[in-house]
Amino acid sequence: MDDLAGSGDPGVDVFVDANLSSFAAWDIMVYLEQNTGVSADLAELASRLGRKEHEIEPVLRDFAGRGLVAASAGPDGVERYTLSPDPEGRRIVARFVELAKVREIRLEFVRRVLARMSRG
């Protein structure tokens, strides 16, 4: 695929390029989209994703700052995360998850994430 290849959905391509700087970020978006309404703290998310807390914490904070993830203190005072309630944001994330099921498009997304990771 060349640099002009994409998913066929320019909004999703922009989302991937702007927000998925690691596979941890990818995993968080997929998990939260597939578990809409779930509110989990850092330890729960790390456990469910099979990742270390230090690996996903900066991603969650970044996503919260961008409005992709809603962060709120639970009754115990611990920060909990859920997918943003913004309908347009949810639509883009759902479309990303849907498109990633197609092998060729998933490979394009992987290429984009790897390119972003190599840039630092």
Side-chain angles (χ1 to χ4, degrees):
M1 293 183 184
D2 58 56
D3 287 337
L4 299 175
S7 69
D9 185 325
V12 172
D13 293 337
V14 168
F15 167 81
V16 169
D17 291 343
N19 299 295
L20 300 186
S21 59
S22 68
F23 291 108
W26 180 315
D27 289 349
I28 290 167
M29 281 291 105
V30 170
Y31 178 82
L32 292 176
E33 194 281 329
Q34 291 180 339
N35 295 280
T36 304
V38 166
S39 176
D41 66 29
L42 179 63
E44 291 168 328
L45 280 171
S47 174
R48 291 176 185 170
L49 296 173
R51 293 191 174 271
K52 306 276 188 215
E53 289 182 27
H54 73 271
E55 197 179 7
I56 66 169
E57 184 174 25
V59 176
L60 287 167
R61 292 195 189 288
D62 180 56
F63 282 169
R66 293 171 183 258
L68 296 169
V69 168
S72 60
D76 53 4
V78 175
E79 194 97 45
R80 302 190 67 78
Y81 301 92
T82 188
L83 193 59
S84 170
D86 172 56
E88 181 59 17
R90 282 181 178 256
R91 185 195 71 73
I92 290 287
V93 172
R95 184 77 175 128
F96 159 71
V97 170
E98 178 185 331
L99 287 170
K101 292 176 183 176
V102 177
R103 182 181 183 276
E104 292 79 13
I105 297 172
R106 183 174 54 255
L107 291 174
E108 172 61 14
F109 291 157
V110 166
R111 183 191 69 77
R112 288 169 180 256
V113 172
L114 288 172
R116 185 143 185 235
M117 288 171 65
S118 71
R119 288 190 302 253

